[in-house]
């Protein structure tokens, strides 16, 4: 077949050479696709592009071609301002990735030495005469890098001498872009703990609206039902053990961006319950709970903020949704360590949120679901046997366990997933979002209790003020420690 040099010389020469090698181009039309301004700035005015305040990125954009033929050749052009390396594209035929093409620096043009022009090339041969689909996905090219795709020439071929339908009935060509993906590609989500429950449901709901997901799980096979229904350009499943502190969160983010070209929303969902009274819970069990429910989201949130801040323009920003619980606002018997992990996550999330410059448009949102119909109280709960002292069936601990184990929760995980999508799109989301009637009831009850105690003990609370206290001290807290 042809070399990249052949294609760089001339698309017409490329077709002639393929024919000389025993291939027949099956249509007289030149399938040259000029990408619209939604996708690109034309190569005719690169300086205007460089000076433009609006950076158009191809990160994650996908072109789909439907064709019939036993071979296909693709030729195209890309330009850009490369500051952090050159972009790459994934080429998949009928769902199988044949090649990842890495663009490299070629001859420059315009007055800007950074601007380059490169010709990608790709061929697949030995196909059946059935209809095939070629999907080209830009894998990266995030700000401050600026790339655009000028055009693609797409050539289906058949073997010389083969019997085939007339070209008019044999070949069709489609350039398919979803409305949400036309400009910069649809949003990309990272969802941890995606094998079941809220994580699985969120992945389902995000895919249903045409956005893309990187889903982490300890076993990729747990998501086989989703991977069989979606292409790699839509769903990336990664085996990632969040309980292992040696697993780099930065590397995780890099893998996702290398695949999709962008990242917009992070859902720190992975976690589990630990059911046992404090007196009977071993230290190692308590520490493991904090490692998964607290430290893992900390590591991923830190890496996500770094990526959002360095690579996403303010209009894109980023969203971090940390899945807490009503147990992150109020605690109950046998769940002290579980609540400790969620209280810590909420405190961390609030502090992190307040550190972020508003102009970065990076928001951290604490999600506080009530009881949701998941495996949390079943296989996702570590049970520590009660010591005899706490086993009284009439005691508060035993009565709470009866409610927890004998109640059918009222939360729908798919509705939770849809709520996460809604809040991720909010321009000014709340710091905390309770989900469910039970969540509102429990949290409101706790707020009422806090207010009652706050008022009841006011005199003692104020009795510790130093005699020479600055009378303007409270005013100084406004706008920094507390909101105005």
């Amino acid at each position: 077949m042809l070399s990249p040099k052949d294609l760089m010389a001339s698309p017409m020469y490329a077709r002639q050479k393929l024919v000389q090698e025993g291939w027949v181009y099956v249509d007289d039309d030149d399938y040259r696709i000029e990408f619209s301004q939604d996708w690109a700035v034309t190569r005719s005015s690169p300086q205007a592009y460089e000076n433009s305040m609006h950076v158009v990125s191809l990160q994650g954009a996908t072109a789909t071609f439907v064709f019939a033929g036993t071979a296909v050749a693709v030729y195209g052009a890309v330009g850009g301002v490369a500051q952090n390396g050159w972009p790459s594209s994934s080429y998949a035929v009928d769902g199988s990735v044949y090649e990842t093409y890495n663009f490299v620096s070629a001859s420059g043009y315009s007055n800007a030495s950074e601007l380059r022009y490169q010709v990608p090339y790709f061929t697949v041969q030995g196909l059946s005469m059935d209809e095939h689909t070629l999907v080209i996905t830009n894998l990266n090219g995030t700000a401050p890098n600026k790339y655009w795709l000028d055009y693609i020439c797409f050539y289906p071929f058949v073997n010389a001498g083969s019997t085939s339908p007339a070209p008019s009935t044999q070949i069709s060509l489609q350039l398919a872009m979803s409305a949400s993906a036309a400009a910069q590609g649809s949003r990309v989500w990272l969802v941890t703990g995606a094998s079941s429950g809220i994580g699985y449901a969120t992945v389902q709901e995000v895919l249903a609206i045409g956005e893309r997901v990187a889903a982490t799980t300890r076993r990729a096979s747990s998501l086989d039902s989703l991977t069989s229904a979606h292409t790699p350009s839509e769903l990336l499943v990664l085996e990632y053990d969040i309980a292992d502190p040696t697993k780099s969160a930065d590397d995780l983010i890099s893998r996702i961006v290398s695949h999709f070209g962008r990242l917009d929303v992070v859902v720190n969902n992975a976690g589990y319950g630990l059911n046992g009274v404090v007196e009977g819970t071993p230290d190692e069990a308590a520490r493991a709970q904090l490692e998964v429910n607290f430290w893992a989201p900390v590591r991923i949130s830190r890496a996500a903020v770094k990526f959002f801040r360095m690579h996403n323009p303010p209009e894109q920003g980023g969203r971090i949704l940390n899945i807490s619980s009503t147990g992150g606002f109020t605690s109950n018997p046998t769940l002290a360590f579980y609540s400790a992990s969620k209280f810590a996550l909420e405190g961390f999330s609030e502090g992190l949120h307040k550190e972020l410059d508003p102009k970065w448009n990076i928001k951290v949102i604490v999600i506080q679901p009530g009881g949701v119909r998941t495996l949390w109280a079943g296989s996702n709960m570590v049970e520590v046997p009660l010591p005899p002292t706490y086993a009284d069936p009439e005691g508060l601990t035993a009565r709470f366990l009866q409610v927890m184990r004998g109640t059918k929760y009222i939360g729908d995980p798919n509705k939770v997933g849809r709520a996460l999508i809604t809040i991720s799109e909010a321009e000014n989301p709340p710091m905390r979002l309770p989900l469910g009637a039970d969540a509102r009831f429990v949290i409101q009850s706790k707020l009422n209790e806090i207010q009652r105690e706050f008022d009841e003990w006011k005199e003692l609370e104020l009795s510790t003020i130093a005699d020479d206290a600055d009378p303007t001290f409270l005013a100084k807290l406004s706008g920094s420690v507390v909101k105005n």
Side-chain angles (χ1 to χ4, degrees), residues 324-449:
S324 179
S325 163
T326 53
F329 194 77
T330 185
S331 192
N332 284 297
T334 74
L335 294 176
F337 290 109
Y338 173 76
S339 285
S341 69
K342 295 300 186 179
F343 271 62
L345 180 61
E346 294 206 11
F348 162 79
S349 299
E350 183 172 348
L352 172 62
H353 178 79
K354 291 178 178 179
E355 291 174 359
L356 304 176
D357 191 322
K359 68 174 177 283
W360 297 340
N361 190 25
I362 302 171
K363 310 292 185 181
V364 183
I365 308 158
V366 172
I367 308 298
Q368 299 171 311
V372 182
R373 295 174 183 176
T374 69
L375 300 176
W376 179 80
S379 59
N380 284 349
M381 178 73 73
V382 174
E383 301 278 354
V384 179
L386 289 177
T389 307
Y390 294 87
D392 180 3
E394 299 302 319
L396 182 60
T397 296
R399 285 189 284 119
F400 173 76
L401 289 175
Q402 289 173 4
V403 172
M404 186 175 73
R405 293 168 176 167
T407 300
K408 185 176 183 179
Y409 294 130
I410 63 175
D412 182 326
N414 285 88
K415 289 184 177 181
V416 171
R418 292 196 285 275
L420 298 187
I421 293 172
T422 299
I423 203 63
S424 75
E425 295 170 339
E427 183 177 354
N428 294 300
M431 179 67 242
R432 289 176 174 83
L433 180 68
L435 292 178
D438 53 344
R440 286 186 58 87
F441 174 77
V442 169
I443 290 174
Q444 186 63 65
S445 297
K446 177 68 176 289
L447 290 171
N448 294 341
E449 179 185 351

Side-chain angles (χ1 to χ4, degrees), residues 144-158:
N145 293 347
K146 308 171 187 177
Y147 307 108
W148 62 90
L149 195 60
D150 284 336
Y151 60 87
I152 285 180
C153 293
F154 174 79
Y155 304 130
F157 290 84
V158 295

Side-chain angles (χ1 to χ4, degrees), residues 268-334:
N268 279 310
N269 167 74
Y272 68 95
L274 175 59
N275 188 29
V277 297
V278 171
E279 199 176 339
T281 302
D283 283 356
E284 55 269 25
R287 292 180 186 278
Q289 175 83 126
L290 270 291
E291 186 64 55
V292 170
N293 288 9
F294 173 65
W295 282 111
V298 166
R299 290 190 290 269
I300 293 173
S301 296
R302 182 190 292 129
V305 164
K306 179 181 177 181
F307 175 81
F308 292 153
R309 178 179 55 79
M310 294 179 64
H311 298 287
N312 287 1
E315 63 269 21
Q316 182 180 355
R319 297 293 184 267
I320 299 173
L321 280 55
N322 285 334
I323 308 299
S324 179
S325 163
T326 53
F329 194 77
T330 185
S331 192
N332 284 297
T334 74

Side-chain angles (χ1 to χ4, degrees), residues 81-336:
V81 180
Q83 298 175 8
N84 291 330
W86 286 86
S88 60
S89 288
S90 167
Y91 297 80
V93 175
D94 299 336
S96 298
V97 177
Y98 276 76
E99 182 172 333
T100 298
Y101 187 94
N102 295 305
F103 300 134
V104 294
S105 175
S107 59
Y109 56 85
S110 155
N111 295 325
S113 61
E114 297 89 352
L115 288 168
R116 296 292 184 264
Y117 172 75
Q118 176 64 28
V119 179
Y121 166 75
F122 180 69
T123 61
V124 177
Q125 50 187 309
L127 299 172
S128 67
M129 280 303 301
D130 298 328
E131 188 175 81
H132 304 286
T133 302
L134 167 67
V135 178
I136 304 176
T137 305
N138 264 18
L139 298 181
N140 56 26
T142 56
N145 293 347
K146 308 171 187 177
Y147 307 108
W148 62 90
L149 195 60
D150 284 336
Y151 60 87
I152 285 180
C153 293
F154 174 79
Y155 304 130
F157 290 84
V158 295
N159 296 95
S162 65
T163 58
S164 62
S168 60
T169 61
Q170 181 183 4
I171 184 167
S172 64
L173 174 62
Q174 299 173 356
L175 173 60
M177 293 179 289
S178 67
S180 62
Q184 293 190 335
S186 62
R187 292 192 305 174
V188 172
W189 294 56
L190 163 59
V191 180
T192 68
S195 62
S196 64
I198 292 174
Y200 186 91
T202 299
V203 173
Q204 285 182 309
E205 297 299 329
V206 172
L207 290 170
I209 64 169
E211 297 189 338
R212 296 167 292 165
V213 184
T216 74
T217 176
R218 286 178 294 175
R219 292 179 298 102
S221 59
S222 65
L223 290 173
D224 281 352
S225 60
L226 290 178
T227 54
S228 63
H230 296 276
T231 67
S233 65
E234 299 168 328
L235 173 63
L236 172 67
V237 176
L238 298 171
E239 290 190 344
Y240 184 81
D241 185 1
I242 65 167
D244 185 352
T246 67
K247 299 293 185 182
S248 169
D250 288 316
D251 288 348
L252 174 65
I253 300 293
S254 295
R255 291 172 67 187
I256 295 166
V257 175
S258 293
H259 184 82
F260 287 121
R262 63 186 289 170
L263 181 63
D264 302 85
V265 183
V266 171
V267 182
N268 279 310
N269 167 74
Y272 68 95
L274 175 59
N275 188 29
V277 297
V278 171
E279 199 176 339
T281 302
D283 283 356
E284 55 269 25
R287 292 180 186 278
Q289 175 83 126
L290 270 291
E291 186 64 55
V292 170
N293 288 9
F294 173 65
W295 282 111
V298 166
R299 290 190 290 269
I300 293 173
S301 296
R302 182 190 292 129
V305 164
K306 179 181 177 181
F307 175 81
F308 292 153
R309 178 179 55 79
M310 294 179 64
H311 298 287
N312 287 1
E315 63 269 21
Q316 182 180 355
R319 297 293 184 267
I320 299 173
L321 280 55
N322 285 334
I323 308 299
S324 179
S325 163
T326 53
F329 194 77
T330 185
S331 192
N332 284 297
T334 74
L335 294 176

